[in-house]
DNA sequence: CTTCAGATGCTCT
DNA sequence: GAGCATCTGAAGA
């Protein structure tokens, strides 16, 4: 159960996105860890990707975090009420990141803390619809882990938010176009979404 | 199962 | 002022 180091993140973004599948994302609040298994990711690469906030090395207040060292959390508000969690990759001054889109709880205790944060109830009180759609979206994932823009810029090498290799190697990884980037012209067709059925 | 409208605030032009 | 890397509940098939 080794915590991933900077070397893991400081590589090609596509590779990092693929290899994050099956890893455990750990969020610690008040000393209590909650873990989920990562099941869906997307790559965003500013150098060449019109879907990336930092396309063409565009530097604004928001994209500043994408220029931080690999292994930094990039978290932003979307649609006025949800948050998206990303991991910065590929070297300093090379704005690129992996979006964390979905996961599943690792243990029963993890399921409990996340169901409380998401629905203010226990897992057994969740509807079957809620159970089926528990963590299958970036906004849901952030809510379940109590992540907001307050945590933007947090290092993944610290103790509040990090990823561990639990030795799981998912088979049958699916690849597709990315979700919700219809504005991105030719980049809408880039096959940079990775996921598997846990 | 599917579609659909509405919520809501921040960022950039 | 426009638009957004989304989610939910309600309604219909």
């Amino acid at each position: 159960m080794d915590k991933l180091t900077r070397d893991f993140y400081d590589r090609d973004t596509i590779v990092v996105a693929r290899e994050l599948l099956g890893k455990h994302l750990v969020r610690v609040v008040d000393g209590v860890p909650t873990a989920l298994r990562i099941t869906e990711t997307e790559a965003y690469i500013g150098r060449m990707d019109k879907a990336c906030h930092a396309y063409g090395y565009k530097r604004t207040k928001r994209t500043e975090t994408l220029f931080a060292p690999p292994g930094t959390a990039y978290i932003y508000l979307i649609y006025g009420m949800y948050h998206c969690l990303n991991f910065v990759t590929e070297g300093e001054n090379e704005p690129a990141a992996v979006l964390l889109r979905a996961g599943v709880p690792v243990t029963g205790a993890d399921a409990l803390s996340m169901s409380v944060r998401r629905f203010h109830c226990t897992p057994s009180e969740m509807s079957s619809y809620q159970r089926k759609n528990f963590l299958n979206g970036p906004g849901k994932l952030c809510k379940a882990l109590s992540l907001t823009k307050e945590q933007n810029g947090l290092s993944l090498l610290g103790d509040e938010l990090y990823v561990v290799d639990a030795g799981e190697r998912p088979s049958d990884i699916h690849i597709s176009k990315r979700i919700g980037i219809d504005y991105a012209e030719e980049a809408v067709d880039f096959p940079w979404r990775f996921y598997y059925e846990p």
Side-chain angles (χ1 to χ4, degrees), chain A residues 184-196:
Chain A
E185 301 179 25
E186 79 282 352
V188 301
D189 294 322
F190 293 178
W192 288 358
R193 171 174 176 246
F194 305 90
Y195 61 100
Y196 74 104

Side-chain angles (χ1 to χ4, degrees), chain A residues 140-155:
Chain A
K140 299 173 187 177
L141 189 151
C142 282
K143 182 159 190 203
L145 294 180
S146 290
L147 290 170
T148 69
K149 54 193 172 63
E150 300 283 305
Q151 282 74 45
N152 181 41
L154 199 60
S155 173

Side-chain angles (χ1 to χ4, degrees), chain A residues 77-94:
Chain A
L77 181 70
I78 190 66
Y79 299 116
M81 58 192 106
Y82 301 107
H83 294 271
C84 289
L85 168 66
N86 301 251
F87 297 158
V88 176
T89 55
E90 290 206 23
E92 196 144 11
N93 296 319
E94 197 57 60

Side-chain angles (χ1 to χ4, degrees), chain A residues 61-62 65 72-76 148-154:
Chain A
K61 192 164 192 176
R62 182 175 66 161
T65 308
T72 301
Y74 170 48
I75 306 178
Y76 62 91
T148 69
K149 54 193 172 63
E150 300 283 305
Q151 282 74 45
N152 181 41
L154 199 60

Side-chain angles (χ1 to χ4, degrees), chain A residues 7 34 110 150 158:
Chain A
D7 291 340
T34 303
D110 297 322
E150 300 283 305

Side-chain angles (χ1 to χ4, degrees), chain A residues 38-112:
Chain A
I38 299 167
T39 61
E40 181 177 345
T41 60
E42 285 179 357
Y44 289 83
I45 305 175
R47 186 171 67 253
M48 51 195 286
D49 176 13
K50 287 180 182 164
C52 183
H53 293 156
Y55 171 60
Y57 297 94
K58 185 169 74 166
R59 217 161 175 145
T60 66
K61 192 164 192 176
R62 182 175 66 161
T63 65
E64 205 54 40
T65 308
L66 286 168
F67 291 84
T72 301
Y74 170 48
I75 306 178
Y76 62 91
L77 181 70
I78 190 66
Y79 299 116
M81 58 192 106
Y82 301 107
H83 294 271
C84 289
L85 168 66
N86 301 251
F87 297 158
V88 176
T89 55
E90 290 206 23
E92 196 144 11
N93 296 319
E94 197 57 60
V98 173
L99 170 66
L100 290 255
R101 286 194 58 90
V104 293
V106 175
T107 69
D110 297 322
L112 174 59

